[in-house]
Amino acid sequence: MKQKDIAINGDSAVALAWKQINPDVCAAYPITPQTIIVEKFAEYVADGEVTTEFICVESEHSALTLCTTSSSTGARTVTATASQGLAYMWEMLPIASSMRVPLVMAVANRALSGPIDIHNDHGDVMSARDCGWLSLFSENVQEAYDMMIIATRIAEHHDVQLPILVNLDGFILTHAVERITPLDENDVKKFVGEFKPLYPLLDVKKPVSHNLMDGPMFYYPHKYQTVIGMKNALKVTKDVFKEFEKISGRKYSVIEEYKCDDAECIAIILGSAFGTMKEAVDQLRREGKKVGVAMPRLFRPWPIEDLAKLMKGKKTVIVMDKHLSVGAYGPMFPEIVTAALENDTMPKMYNYVYGLGGVDTMVSDFADVFREVKSGKAKRINYFGVKE
Amino acid sequence: MMVNMADHNSMIVGDRVIEPGNSEKFQTGDWRSQVPVLDKEKCIDCLTCWIFCPDDSILTKDGKIAGLKLSHCKGCGICAKVCPKDAITMKGD
């Protein structure tokens, strides 16, 4: 059934998706700019609009511990956090993935302290990237809502069985009101279906033990199993995107491309800035410049082959990072270089670290990036906007 | 394959064990550096050691001490400590 468009901010849209999914358990600790998700969802719980067991916890570490355990018992579980909250969860992140629990977490991307800063960059999720979680990015509020529903399906697929992060840029998406077309609640329920856990802890007829001591004999093989789960997730994600298109009319790809086909120079960027960069691309196209931009919607598993295909034959690739691995690069830069190695010829590659701590990066700024690279003045790593 | 690494194909996905009670197969007695020795002459079958043993290593029959099962005994010495008649002593293993 076609739904009416609504005006809603990103956090509330995530809460709306949860309401429509009606998860079994939610435990979360409030942190700016994720707070509205939890507040809004708590209202749905209090108003009896969902049957979710909503559990107040004393910290993010407890939230993720509870959610991991809850998911392992066979309950569909959701949580949300940001920045220091994700950092505080860090100890539990690889445990959740090694336990193969398909819980879904929204991350309202915010700069990591310190210095203390509540505004948007990707410092939180990038610092958690090696923990075995699937990761999806969204450009706008509609996508944040859609990804939340899609994520549930990907994570719970029996070939995957991994926890998943759904990233939405703090404030830029979490607090900005945008127009979205939500799905009909019954369509969402039908789409996500019933959670069918494998080896749930509370199946008393088939007793199991979870999260045991491994030792060298089993640790690496278990890690390798998560590698397989991740690999499978690439195909599963593509399949779920196709299925989602059928119910929503909205088409998603693991790599979103904008005017990349005939482009000589492309930029690769994550999150809401993808939209800003599209506008910059349009401006430069009007000047006759063959430029394009792409966003890896799926960040984990890293879609190497799709990225290699994207970069094939391109003269120049600019990697836009909203986080900095201090003393090295932006974290996505070496990952894009790795994907480019799949092709016979390498493009010229530049890294721009931009917008840290929420510095506004405008259409004209992104146009300047393309111009600087074209002029030959760009360095390998560019601290964009910083007076060096 | 490296000899000390399991084959992931033969393992349940995730860090799970689906066979209940299989910790019995894990012979924790291998860790032991001290072993309890029971002197049946001094033993009064009070079963205090049986109550306190954390590893179910004290065997009983008809309400009496029947011996020690050392496969899971880690040599902690609790049985020797709690025995009111000093019927159990710890020896190097």
Side-chain angles (χ1 to χ4, degrees):
Chain A
M1 196 175 79
K2 174 92 174 128
Q3 288 294 101
K4 269 188 191 163
D5 285 4
I6 55 168
I8 194 166
N9 65 46
D11 273 354
S12 302
V14 168
L16 175 65
W18 286 3
K19 179 205 162 211
Q20 295 179 324
I21 292 167
N22 193 11
D24 300 312
V25 173
C26 173
Y29 193 80
I31 181 167
T32 302
Q34 154 265 34
T35 314
I36 310 168
I37 301 178
V38 188
E39 281 177 354
K40 190 75 199 161
F41 190 68
E43 282 176 25
Y44 290 132
V45 175
D47 294 345
E49 294 195 58
V50 289
T51 54
T52 308
E53 187 78 28
F54 184 83
I55 303 162
C56 292
V57 281
E58 75 278 23
S59 75
E60 285 88 356
H61 189 276
S62 302
L64 191 55
T65 307
L66 192 151
C67 288
T68 303
T69 316
S70 143
S71 185
S72 73
T73 64
R76 181 177 270 156
T77 307
V78 294
T79 186
T81 193
S83 183
Q84 303 313 105
L86 188 61
Y88 195 18
M89 285 178 173
W90 203 90
E91 188 198 28
M92 282 305 292
L93 289 173
I95 292 174
S97 62
S98 119
M99 286 177 72
R100 308 299 293 265
V101 291
L103 68 95
V104 179
M105 170 149 66
V107 182
N109 301 120
R110 163 185 152 182
L112 270 183
S113 303
I116 297 173
D117 187 337
I118 58 166
H119 296 283
N120 165 252
D121 72 27
H122 297 148
D124 49 11
V125 63
M126 287 299 158
S127 300
R129 71 176 177 167
D130 298 336
C131 293
W133 285 57
L134 304 152
S135 193
L136 288 169
F137 277 83
S138 29
E139 182 202 329
N140 50 42
V141 173
Q142 178 76 66
E143 291 184 7
Y145 165 86
D146 288 348
M147 288 309 123
M148 192 52 66
I149 295 159
I150 286 168
T152 307
R153 279 286 301 277
I154 301 170
E156 290 176 6
H157 194 288
H158 281 188
D159 293 343
V160 180
Q161 293 185 78
L162 283 168
I164 188 162
L165 303 171
V166 174
N167 296 284
L168 63 160
D169 282 335
F171 293 109
I172 301 170
L173 300 185
T174 58
H175 287 59
V177 174
E178 289 182 9
R179 182 171 140 169
I180 75 162
T181 314
L183 295 167
D184 174 66
E185 191 159 317
N186 290 325
D187 288 349
V188 173
K189 285 196 168 64
K190 217 168 116 190
F191 182 79
V192 295
E194 191 194 337
F195 176 31
K196 293 182 181 123
L198 280 175
Y199 314 112
L201 208 51
L202 283 188
D203 186 348
V204 288
K205 284 180 189 148
K206 292 177 194 161
V208 290
S209 306
H210 285 198
N211 197 24
L212 303 160
M213 170 78 188
D214 243 5
M217 192 175 176
F218 296 103
Y219 182 92
Y220 195 176
H222 269 140
K223 279 281 176 242
Y224 187 72
Q225 285 184 337
T226 59
V227 172
I228 295 170
M230 276 277 174
K231 268 186 191 164
N232 295 342
L234 182 62
K235 186 186 177 298
V236 169
T237 304
K238 288 177 179 179
D239 291 347
V240 175
F241 281 165
K242 270 184 208 152
E243 234 183 283
F244 188 78
E245 188 187 349
K246 280 182 203 153
I247 64 157
S248 68
R250 293 188 284 275
K251 189 183 164 83
Y252 292 118
S253 308
V254 292
I255 311 288
E256 298 294 348
E257 295 180 29
Y258 187 70
K259 301 192 177 173
C260 287
D261 278 350
D262 67 336
E264 291 171 354
C265 171
I266 58 163
I268 299 175
I269 198 162
L270 290 168
S272 60
F274 181 46
T276 319
M277 204 124 197
K278 283 181 193 169
E279 184 58 32
V281 163
D282 282 346
Q283 282 188 8
L284 290 164
R285 284 267 169 181
R286 284 197 286 275
E287 296 169 18
K289 308 252 168 51
K290 286 193 165 176
V291 293
V293 61
M295 173 173 91
R297 175 175 304 289
L298 183 65
F299 186 75
R300 281 291 180 278
W302 187 234
I304 286 186
E305 282 169 21
D306 299 81
L307 283 161
K309 213 173 127 197
L310 168 78
M311 289 186 278
K312 203 176 171 110
K314 302 296 177 215
K315 283 186 186 163
T316 313
V317 172
I318 308 167
V319 182
M320 304 297 299
D321 267 299
K322 213 168 186 180
H323 178 52
L324 175 60
S325 176
V326 179
Y329 327 89
M332 194 163 63
F333 185 58
E335 303 212 352
I336 297 284
V337 173
T338 309
L341 286 169
E342 295 295 307
N343 293 330
D344 294 333
T345 54
M346 293 281 282
K348 284 183 180 168
M349 303 185 86
Y350 301 94
N351 190 198
Y352 274 78
V353 177
Y354 76 101
L356 297 196
V359 174
D360 253 347
T361 315
M362 318 297 244
V363 175
S364 57
D365 297 322
F366 284 139
D368 285 346
V369 168
F370 280 114
R371 289 196 184 98
E372 193 171 69
V373 169
K374 179 81 178 167
S375 72
K377 283 179 194 156
K379 297 174 191 166
R380 182 70 65 217
I381 302 155
N382 304 273
Y383 302 92
F384 191 56
V386 174
K387 288 185 179 64
E388 286 185 56
Chain B
M1 195 202 305
M2 292 171 81
V3 285
N4 61 348
M5 214 194 290
D7 177 4
H8 71 90
N9 291 300
S10 63
M11 290 155 55
I12 299 295
V13 167
D15 193 2
R16 300 159 174 146
V17 169
I18 59 166
E19 182 192 350
N22 75 346
S23 59
E24 198 175 351
K25 290 180 187 168
F26 187 26
Q27 305 278 305
T28 48
D30 293 352
W31 304 358
R32 197 172 56 229
S33 62
Q34 293 251 303
V35 64
V37 178
L38 172 68
D39 183 350
K40 227 10 207 156
E41 295 290 310
K42 291 183 186 170
C43 176
I44 54 167
D45 294 313
C46 67
L47 300 183
T48 309
C49 57
W50 175 77
I51 291 165
F52 278 88
C53 175
D55 283 301
D56 205 17
S57 297
I58 312 289
L59 300 172
T60 58
K61 200 181 175 198
D62 302 327
K64 291 184 172 171
I65 301 291
L68 304 170
K69 183 178 146 220
L70 296 173
S71 53
H72 292 82
C73 169
K74 301 194 198 80
C76 68
I78 289 174
C79 53
K81 193 85 181 168
V82 298
C83 179
K85 293 289 175 189
D86 294 330
I88 300 175
T89 45
M90 300 303 290
K91 296 268 159 65
D93 192 19

